[in-house]
Amino acid sequence: MADVPSPLADFIVSEIRRARGASGMTQEAFGRAAGFSASHVSAVESGNRALTIDFIRGADRAFSNDGLFGRLVAKLGAPSWFLPWLDAERGARQLRLFEPLLIPGLLQTENYARVVMRLNDLMSATEVDQQVSARMSRHKILTGDSPPQVVAVLDESALRRSGDEYAGIIAEQVAHLITVAELPHVHVHVIPAGAGLHIGLSGPFALARAGDGSWVGHLENQLGGIVVDTEDELHTLQTRWENVRNEALPRRQSNELMKEVHSDHGPH
């Protein structure tokens, strides 16, 4: 299952440790109740093993606390519907990302991500900070020892969508895309404005290929998102991926277009 991002993980681990001590449970007793070995519990509490959603659910069972720790993660960290995709993303050998309106989250700058998060006026400033931090922590997979191959397709309109208030942030974001696209394992392709109508305008989606060759898809909408893993649904997304990829410019031409867009934004 998905790892919980820091610093939220550190906080949750400390609270679990405190609750275990207050209840008088040893690591072995807690592990039996939670479904983990004492050595696993010790490794999580010492920070030598990642805190996972499975471990949090086990802790909630052990303490019979009506899912308290799970609710904390959902409230303070990534939403629960997104966690299965985070799991797939972290373990992926290949990622396919399509966004018709925005820059894909994995390629966003902190300033751009913050602006996007603030569009949801139901989120508090603290929640925005937490969500931005969680999104930025995802970027580690791009620069790790064994990064996945990432192919992203986005619409030219996403590069040009700005106003005077956000011009500098968009320019920074496009510059970041140009830099990231220079990584050998990252390919950014742009669908030019002249492409007209295409199937991708129906909405964003992503695909992740695991080490065993299996694929998982993700669809996001106004209320949340869903993970797709059935053969028919994956076939549909794979077909749509081929369609939007065919609408996009080749890698070199996409890079040239991004540089042109960055120049159009002017110096900032």
Side-chain angles (χ1 to χ4, degrees):
M1 287 295 293
D3 298 349
V4 178
S6 294
L8 176 60
D10 298 335
F11 169 72
I12 296 294
V13 168
S14 67
E15 291 301 307
I16 289 176
R17 188 189 304 112
R18 180 178 292 115
R20 182 178 63 77
S23 65
M25 299 175 72
T26 63
Q27 290 179 335
E28 183 176 1
F30 170 80
R32 283 198 301 270
F36 294 90
S37 66
S39 60
H40 188 120
V41 174
S42 176
V44 171
E45 290 191 352
S46 63
N48 293 322
R49 188 160 188 162
L51 176 67
T52 65
I53 300 303
D54 273 349
F55 191 90
I56 289 171
R57 289 171 178 162
D60 282 334
R61 289 194 303 271
F63 296 131
S64 300
N65 60 11
D66 194 30
L68 173 63
F69 293 119
R71 293 198 305 276
L72 280 173
V73 171
K75 180 67 175 177
L76 301 177
S80 58
W81 57 263
F82 195 56
L83 292 172
W85 172 251
L86 283 181
D87 192 33
E89 185 180 82
R90 287 192 181 99
R93 301 308 308 138
Q94 292 178 303
L95 287 170
R96 304 289 182 259
L97 314 172
F98 171 68
E99 276 281 357
L101 301 175
L102 297 169
I103 306 301
L106 198 60
L107 304 178
Q108 291 178 3
T109 64
E110 182 173 348
N111 287 329
Y112 182 92
R114 190 172 301 281
V115 168
V116 172
M117 295 293 184
R118 284 177 175 167
L119 295 176
N120 181 356
D121 56 10
L122 297 179
M123 291 178 65
S124 68
T126 299
E127 289 172 327
V128 168
D129 288 343
Q130 291 162 344
Q131 293 293 335
V132 170
S133 177
R135 180 162 294 184
M136 293 302 101
S137 72
R138 292 166 55 198
H139 294 187
K140 296 176 184 176
I141 69 170
L142 297 179
T143 55
D145 293 335
S146 182
Q149 180 202 55
V150 179
V151 182
V153 174
L154 53 133
D155 201 273
E156 182 180 351
S157 63
L159 303 175
R160 297 190 181 277
R161 179 171 286 105
S162 67
D164 292 340
E165 182 181 359
Y166 303 121
I169 291 174
I170 298 296
E172 177 191 49
Q173 174 64 72
V174 176
H176 177 68
L177 277 178
I178 294 169
T179 300
V180 173
E182 292 176 352
L183 295 172
H185 56 282
V186 178
H187 301 239
V188 178
H189 297 273
V190 181
I191 297 177
L197 297 174
H198 56 83
I199 189 64
L201 295 176
S202 299
F205 62 89
L207 289 158
R209 181 178 181 271
D212 63 2
S214 62
W215 286 88
V216 173
H218 185 259
L219 300 171
E220 195 165 334
N221 55 53
Q222 290 282 351
L223 297 179
I226 58 171
V227 169
V228 172
D229 57 8
T230 68
E231 183 176 350
D232 288 346
E233 291 171 326
L234 287 171
H235 175 71
T236 297
L237 286 186
Q238 293 281 10
T239 300
R240 295 201 173 189
W241 169 258
E242 293 300 323
N243 288 337
V244 297
R245 177 64 188 84
N246 288 336
E247 293 286 348
L249 297 171
R251 190 181 188 186
R252 187 180 66 180
Q253 290 176 253
S254 293
N255 289 347
E256 291 172 353
L257 177 55
M258 288 190 292
K259 291 176 181 177
E260 176 188 323
V261 170
H262 185 259
S263 177
D264 290 345
H265 281 296
H268 297 279

